């Protein structure tokens, strides 16, 4: 680099760091690079555009983290409709709602099945033959009553009565404002100036803004909370962070709990300081530490066991229960209410891989650790067969300890099909079974769990890895939001398609039936030499065809209405559900690619496990494609039948117009003849006509009648000759 370039870069750095951009100044003597006044031509939307593109996708995380992620959905219009349909069934609806709130998981699951059965019965009631054949309940009138209930419910869904998601979004903002109150002056998490000054004396680079809520980019729908309490201590004993994101139809919460442990040892002082700090989970008391001492002294993690009975969500609930104490009675906690319906819940534990290897012989543990670090950014793992077998057995023992799920194909064993793969080019190992699991007997949670073993991750890479895992969990669930109704909708589409086939056969029967007055059919075209009106339909035949086409039109309109009603049972309609499914499936595929998985021999990868998820999403695509195809077919038949009816109505209108024209002509002839006779009578012409010979009289009368006949015939035939029999 020459001296001129070095001088230019030095001046440019100095320019950016010292000089205000409000003044137009030359950077160098001959460089001719200037800064214009940025206030000229200000675009008001630019700050929001720039901030939106700079919102971080990951958050730096330490080596020891447990994380809880949840997504809560706001009720959509279709959710409200389904709830009202359940409420319309009377006393049975109350038992269903009470059962879904029961603490007994069996009662709650039975109520959920009853809910789905009732909604699916409404879907099946939209079959075209639901009023004639027995439905799912065996009652022939039940299907028609369900259709009437659906019609009454839809009639109430006027725009002024619908409750959209805005109230839920407002309530979500209110719940976050309640968290803001914890950091206000006098709040339990407010950091005084003295505490901040003492903390900065130990950590000069600490940012004071980290001790109050932060809005990335100044947005009101994203918030970062650091629930860090400074009690005059030189360091923070526990760090708890929550990231909140508000979307149009849902909100996400991600809770990070950092124990600030060292790389080579766990924080024994934390367990010692919190021996009495216990929580009640599944009716048992468990310590709330990240690790717990092993009962026999030799656990999967050496002298420790991974405590999966306490999560970051429990720590958060404990923290805010203490913080939201009433002013009159601080000992009385006020619960923090989560807004929306819980759709996704997942727990993650991240810690160094040395804890997994600590249960092995020191020499073997060192060999495996060195091999894992050498394997970073390599497609193959650099371990001998003996070393890899030892590592695989250790991972399997850890998975059986954490993911203890019984194998229903064997009476005395646990399932072993867990997902194990190296991620981020081998810098970490991801272990998960991706099954819903609840820590309590009430079975409320249904959360997936995963363990991440840190091999060589930086803090930013840990944040991006956890962000990708949480987005996969969210999108994987939201893509299958209404999967329970797909089978019932497909069966109803089959029945509607069968009804359309019956309508098609009726149309064919109408078109090929030979009219009584002709030897052909209505598709017959006159051959050369045949009279044009030889196959003209009679009025009775036209009325019969019109009645048949009218009945077919009514049937097609019923099919079209039943098909359109299926949209009310899928969130945002069938097409909207497909678009959401495609968007979430694409998000899952993209985030799996960002994990940059590498296979560990003998274990299933995350991409392979998600193949079943993709197959499930394809059923929604097929349902939407069948719906669109059937809707187009019904529309085509509707247009065809309407065209037939319009042709019949046009023929009838022409006949009526012909009859009216003939009547008008007859009246005109009578008037003309009356006028002529009157004139003859006035001028005395009758005597002269009487005196004429008889042949002359007959010739004159014949000429007059011929003229009248030609007049009438010439006015009527051109129109009839211009029409075809049916087309």
């Amino acid at each position: 680099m020459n001296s001129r370039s070095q001088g230019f870069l030095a001046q440019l750095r100095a320019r950016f760091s010292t000089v205000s951009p409000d003044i137009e100044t030359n950077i160098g003597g001959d460089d001719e690079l200037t800064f214009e006044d940025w206030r000229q031509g200000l675009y008001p939307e630019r700050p929001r555009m720039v901030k939106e593109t700079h919102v971080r996708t990951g958050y730096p995380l330490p080596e020891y983290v447990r994380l809880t992620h949840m997504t809560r959905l706001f009720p959509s219009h279709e959710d409200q409709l389904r709830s009202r349909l359940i409420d319309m069934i009377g006393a049975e609806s109350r038992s269903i709602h009470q059962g879904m709130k029961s603490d007994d998981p069996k009662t709650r699951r039975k109520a959920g099945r009853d809910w789905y059965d009732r909604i699916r019965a409404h879907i099946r009631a939209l079959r075209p033959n639901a009023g004639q054949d027995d439905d799912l309940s065996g009652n022939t009138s039940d299907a028609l009553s369900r259709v009437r209930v659906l019609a009454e419910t839809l009639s109430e869904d006027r725009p002024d009565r619908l409750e959209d998601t805005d109230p839920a979004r407002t309530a979500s903002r209110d719940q976050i404002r309640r968290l803001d109150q914890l950091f206000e002056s006098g709040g339990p998490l407010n950091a005084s100036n003295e505490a901040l000054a003492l903390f900065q004396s130990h950590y000069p680079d600490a940012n004071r803004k980290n001790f109050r809520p932060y809005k990335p980019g100044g947005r009101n729908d994203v918030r970062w909370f650091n629930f860090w309490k400074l009690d005059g201590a030189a360091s923070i004993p526990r760090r708890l962070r929550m990231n909140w994101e508000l979307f149009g139809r849902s909100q996400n919460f991600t809770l990070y709990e950092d124990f600030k442990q060292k790389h080579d040892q766990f924080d024994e002082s934390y367990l010692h300081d919190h021996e009495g700090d216990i929580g009640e989970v599944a009716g048992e008391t468990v310590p709330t530490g990240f690790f717990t001492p092993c009962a026999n002294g030799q656990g999967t993690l050496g002298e420790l066991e991974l405590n999966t009975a306490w999560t970051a969500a429990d720590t958060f609930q404990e923290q805010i229960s203490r913080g939201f104490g009433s002013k009159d009675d601080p000992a009385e906690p006020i619960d923090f209410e989560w807004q929306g319906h819980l759709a996704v819940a997942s727990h993650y534990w991240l810690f160094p891989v040395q804890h997994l290897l600590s249960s092995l012989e020191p020499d073997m543990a060192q060999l495996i650790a060195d091999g894992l670090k050498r394997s970073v950014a390599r497609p193959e793992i650099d371990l001998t067969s003996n070393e890899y077998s030892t590592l695989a057995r250790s991972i399997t023992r850890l998975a059986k300890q954490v993911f203890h799920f019984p194998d229903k194909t064997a009476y005395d064993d646990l399932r072993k099909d867990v997902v194990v793969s190296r991620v981020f080019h081998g810098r970490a190992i991801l272990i998960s079974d991706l099954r819903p699991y609840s820590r309590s007997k009430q079975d409320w949670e249904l959360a997936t769990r995963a363990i991440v073993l840190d091999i060589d991750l930086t803090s930013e890479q840990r944040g991006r890895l956890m962000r990708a895992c949480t987005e996969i969990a969210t999108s994987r669930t939201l893509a299958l939001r209404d999967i329970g109704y797909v089978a019932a909708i497909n069966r109803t589409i089959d029945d509607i398609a069968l009804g359309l086939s019956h309508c098609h056969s009726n149309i064919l029967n109408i078109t090929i039936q030979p009219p009584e007055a002709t030897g052909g059919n209505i598709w017959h075209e006159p051959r050369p030499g045949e009279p044009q009106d030889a196959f003209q339909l009679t009025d009775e035949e036209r009325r019969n065809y019109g009645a048949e086409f009218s009945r077919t039109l009514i049937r097609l309109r019923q099919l079209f209405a039943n098909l359109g009603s299926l949209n009310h049972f899928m969130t945002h309609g069938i097409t909207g559900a497909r678009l959401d499914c495609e968007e979430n499936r694409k998000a899952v595929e993209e985030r799996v690619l960002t994990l940059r998985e590498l296979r560990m021999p003998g274990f299933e990868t995350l991409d392979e496990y998600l193949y079943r998820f993709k197959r499930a999403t394809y059923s929604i695509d097929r349902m939407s494609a069948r719906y669109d195809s059937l809707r187009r077919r019904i529309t085509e038949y509707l247009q065809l039948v309407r065209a037939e009816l319009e042709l019949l109505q046009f023929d009838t209108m022409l006949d009526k117009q012909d009859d009216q024209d003939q009547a008008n002509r007859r009246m005109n002839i009578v008037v003309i003849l009356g006028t002529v006779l009157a004139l003859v009578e006035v001028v005395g012409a009758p005597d002269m006509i009487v005196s004429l010979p008889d042949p002359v009289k007959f010739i004159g009368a014949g000429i007059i009648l011929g003229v009248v006949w030609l007049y009438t015939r010439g006015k009527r035939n051109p129109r009839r000759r211009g029409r075809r029999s049916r087309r």
Side-chain angles (χ1 to χ4, degrees):
M1 184 180 294
N2 54 31
S3 58
R4 178 186 176 89
S5 299
Q6 292 177 352
F8 168 74
L9 292 177
Q11 295 176 19
L12 185 61
R13 286 192 293 268
R15 173 62 181 168
F16 269 110
S17 59
T18 58
V19 183
S20 173
D22 296 333
I23 305 175
E24 183 177 342
T25 308
N26 288 327
I27 294 296
D30 299 330
D31 295 324
E32 298 181 357
L33 179 61
T34 61
F35 286 99
E36 298 180 355
D37 188 349
W38 290 356
R39 292 173 297 182
Q40 294 180 2
L42 178 62
Y43 182 49
E45 299 296 336
R46 180 177 178 271
R48 178 61 185 270
M49 294 161 53
V50 174
K51 292 177 180 180
E52 185 71 22
T53 59
H54 287 78
V55 174
R56 299 180 65 174
T57 58
Y59 315 100
L61 298 178
E63 294 177 326
Y64 295 85
V65 170
R66 60 183 173 195
L67 182 149
T68 296
H69 174 77
M70 69 177 70
T71 299
R72 308 188 75 89
L73 297 176
F74 302 139
S76 63
H77 298 330
E78 292 76 15
D79 294 329
Q80 299 174 37
L81 172 66
R82 291 192 288 263
S83 298
R84 282 195 291 272
L85 288 177
I86 296 296
D87 295 338
M88 293 288 285
I89 60 179
E92 189 177 358
S93 66
R94 290 190 293 271
S95 63
I96 291 177
H97 287 300
Q98 292 175 359
M100 295 182 68
K101 296 178 181 179
S102 174
D103 292 335
D104 185 9
K106 294 183 179 179
T107 303
R108 192 167 56 253
R109 285 194 290 268
K110 181 180 181 303
R113 289 193 299 268
D114 293 340
W115 174 288
Y116 272 102
D117 290 341
R118 300 305 180 272
I119 298 301
R120 284 194 288 260
H122 279 90
I123 296 175
R124 296 289 289 158
L126 295 174
R127 297 177 301 166
N129 57 346
Q132 293 80 23
D133 299 336
D134 291 344
D135 64 346
L136 297 178
S137 62
N139 188 0
T140 56
S141 62
D142 186 65
L144 295 180
S145 64
R146 292 183 184 277
V147 174
R148 283 193 293 269
V149 169
L150 177 61
E152 293 173 1
T153 306
L154 291 176
S155 64
E156 298 177 358
D157 285 347
R158 297 200 303 266
D160 56 342
R161 293 188 181 184
L162 284 177
E163 298 178 1
D164 53 14
T165 57
D166 288 340
R169 287 172 55 85
T170 302
S172 301
R173 290 192 177 97
D174 292 339
Q175 74 180 2
I176 296 303
R177 293 190 186 98
R178 293 192 66 192
L179 293 182
D180 290 341
Q181 297 174 1
L182 298 175
F183 301 87
E184 295 177 355
S185 179
L189 294 181
N190 178 260
S192 63
N193 293 330
E194 294 78 7
L196 288 173
L198 178 60
F199 185 75
Q200 282 191 321
S201 64
H202 296 277
Y203 300 93
D205 298 333
N207 188 357
R208 293 195 174 194
K209 294 183 179 180
N210 289 337
F211 295 92
R212 62 173 181 266
Y214 172 63
K215 300 179 181 179
R219 298 168 51 183
N220 292 324
D221 54 353
V222 179
R223 198 75 56 86
W224 297 352
F225 292 96
N226 291 321
F227 299 96
W228 300 342
K229 178 62 176 176
L230 294 179
D231 296 325
S235 62
I236 303 174
R238 171 186 281 182
R239 292 188 179 186
L240 179 65
R241 171 186 294 170
M242 186 183 79
N243 297 330
W244 170 73
E245 297 173 292
L246 178 63
F247 302 98
R249 302 186 295 267
S250 63
Q251 58 178 343
N252 288 350
F253 298 89
T254 307
L255 301 165
Y256 307 88
E257 188 174 4
D258 170 24
F259 286 79
K260 199 175 178 60
Q261 295 168 323
K262 297 181 180 180
H263 180 75
D264 54 347
Q265 62 182 4
F266 71 98
D267 191 357
E268 297 181 359
S269 62
Y270 179 81
L271 290 178
H272 178 73
D273 295 339
H274 293 76
E275 289 179 355
D277 187 10
I278 58 177
E280 185 175 352
V281 178
E284 302 176 356
T285 56
V286 296
T288 61
F290 185 49
F291 293 113
T292 56
C294 184
N296 55 10
Q298 288 293 329
T300 308
L301 304 176
E303 301 293 331
L304 305 171
E305 285 184 353
L306 184 61
N307 182 10
T308 59
W310 190 268
T311 65
D314 300 319
T315 304
F316 173 78
Q317 197 71 30
E318 180 187 56
Q319 188 82 2
I320 61 176
S321 296
R322 296 174 180 176
F324 281 132
S326 61
K327 295 182 179 180
D328 298 333
D329 187 7
E332 180 182 356
I334 300 177
D335 293 335
F336 176 79
E337 297 181 357
W338 303 96
Q339 299 295 324
H341 304 300
L342 178 62
V344 181
S346 53
H347 303 299
Y348 301 88
W349 290 268
L350 189 151
F351 54 90
V353 72
Q354 281 77 6
H355 287 287
L356 177 68
L357 304 179
S358 61
S359 61
L360 305 177
E361 295 294 333
D363 295 339
M364 177 63 71
Q366 187 62 38
L367 290 174
I368 295 177
D370 295 340
L372 290 175
K373 288 187 177 181
R374 290 194 307 269
S375 303
V376 172
R378 293 184 180 181
E380 301 293 337
I381 190 167
D382 190 6
L383 293 175
T384 64
S385 59
N386 185 28
E387 294 170 351
Y388 181 77
S389 299
T390 304
L391 174 63
R393 285 194 297 269
S394 300
I395 293 176
T396 303
R397 286 196 302 270
L398 176 62
K400 291 181 66 174
Q401 174 190 344
V402 177
F403 311 116
H404 45 83
F405 196 87
D407 188 354
K408 296 183 179 180
T409 62
Y411 65 92
D412 58 349
D413 199 1
L414 299 176
R415 297 196 65 166
K416 305 180 181 62
D417 54 336
V418 294
V419 171
V420 180
S421 62
R422 295 188 297 151
V423 294
F424 274 36
H425 291 307
R427 289 181 170 85
I429 297 177
L430 176 66
I431 308 172
S432 177
D433 63 348
L434 297 175
R435 292 189 186 90
Y437 175 81
S438 296
R439 296 167 295 161
S440 63
K441 296 180 180 179
Q442 285 76 18
D443 198 23
W444 290 104
E445 193 173 1
L446 295 178
T448 58
R449 299 168 299 165
I451 298 174
V452 178
L453 304 178
D454 185 359
I455 297 175
D456 190 21
L457 289 173
T458 64
S459 59
E460 294 289 346
Q461 289 173 340
R462 298 187 197 102
R464 292 197 300 271
L465 174 60
M466 289 292 98
R467 179 75 173 187
C469 291
T470 55
E471 288 183 355
I472 290 174
T474 299
S475 301
R476 185 169 69 101
T477 304
L478 295 185
L480 305 176
R481 180 172 181 177
D482 295 326
I483 190 65
Y485 304 117
V486 171
I489 291 178
N490 277 326
R491 288 194 295 269
T492 304
I493 289 177
D494 292 337
D495 293 334
I496 294 177
L498 182 60
L500 181 61
S501 299
H502 292 328
C503 291
H504 186 195
S505 64
N506 292 337
I507 295 175
L508 289 178
N509 290 333
I510 296 172
T511 55
I512 66 176
Q513 181 180 0
E516 297 178 359
T518 64
N521 53 58
I522 62 174
W523 295 101
H524 177 74
E525 292 291 341
R527 291 184 291 271
E530 291 182 345
Q532 296 291 331
D533 57 351
F535 300 96
Q536 184 68 28
L537 296 177
T538 63
D539 293 340
E540 183 179 359
E541 291 170 347
R542 190 179 295 113
R543 286 192 298 269
N544 293 336
Y545 285 134
E548 291 292 338
F549 278 122
S550 297
R551 284 191 291 268
T552 305
L553 178 62
I554 294 173
R555 188 67 169 170
L556 288 172
R557 290 173 59 183
Q558 177 192 1
L559 295 177
F560 196 81
N562 290 2
L563 183 64
S565 299
L566 296 177
N567 287 284
H568 300 291
F569 297 95
M570 297 292 291
T571 303
H572 313 303
I574 292 179
T575 303
R578 176 182 60 81
L579 295 176
D580 287 345
C581 180
E582 289 179 353
E583 180 182 355
N584 287 290
R585 182 177 63 223
K586 184 178 180 180
V588 170
E589 293 173 351
E590 291 176 350
R591 301 311 290 173
V592 170
L593 290 177
T594 60
L595 290 179
R596 298 182 290 278
E597 276 191 297
L598 296 176
R599 175 180 294 278
M600 292 192 67
F603 294 102
E604 187 179 20
T605 64
L606 180 61
D607 192 17
E608 293 173 347
Y609 181 86
L610 292 177
Y611 176 74
R612 180 183 177 186
F613 153 75
K614 296 177 183 178
R615 295 287 298 177
T617 60
Y618 294 153
S619 64
I620 299 179
D621 295 344
R622 289 191 296 271
M623 176 194 65
S624 179
R626 296 186 61 206
Y627 167 80
D628 293 337
S629 175
L630 186 57
R631 184 182 59 181
R632 286 193 298 268
R633 289 174 58 197
I634 295 178
T635 302
E636 292 172 357
Y637 282 117
L638 279 171
Q639 294 174 351
L640 173 62
V641 174
R642 287 193 180 117
E644 294 287 348
L645 287 174
E646 289 175 358
L647 285 175
L648 292 174
Q649 293 172 0
F650 182 69
D651 290 345
T652 304
M653 181 190 67
L654 290 181
D655 289 342
K656 291 181 178 179
Q657 186 175 356
D658 288 344
D659 296 339
Q660 185 65 32
D661 292 344
Q662 292 179 15
N664 292 337
R665 294 189 194 98
R666 294 190 189 99
M667 184 60 66
N668 292 336
I669 292 173
V670 172
V671 172
I672 293 173
L673 291 177
T675 303
V676 171
L677 292 177
L679 291 176
V680 171
E681 185 68 27
V682 171
V683 299
D687 296 337
M688 183 181 63
I689 295 175
V690 173
S691 61
L692 292 174
D694 291 339
V696 176
K697 294 178 183 179
F698 289 120
I699 293 173
I703 293 174
I704 293 174
L705 292 176
V707 170
V708 172
W709 181 82
L710 289 175
Y711 174 78
T712 306
R713 183 69 175 176
K715 290 294 185 180
R716 182 178 180 182
N717 280 346
R719 182 178 298 155
R720 287 192 176 274
R721 286 197 299 267
R723 295 208 313 266
R724 294 187 295 179
S725 60
R726 286 291 293 131
R727 290 288 182 269

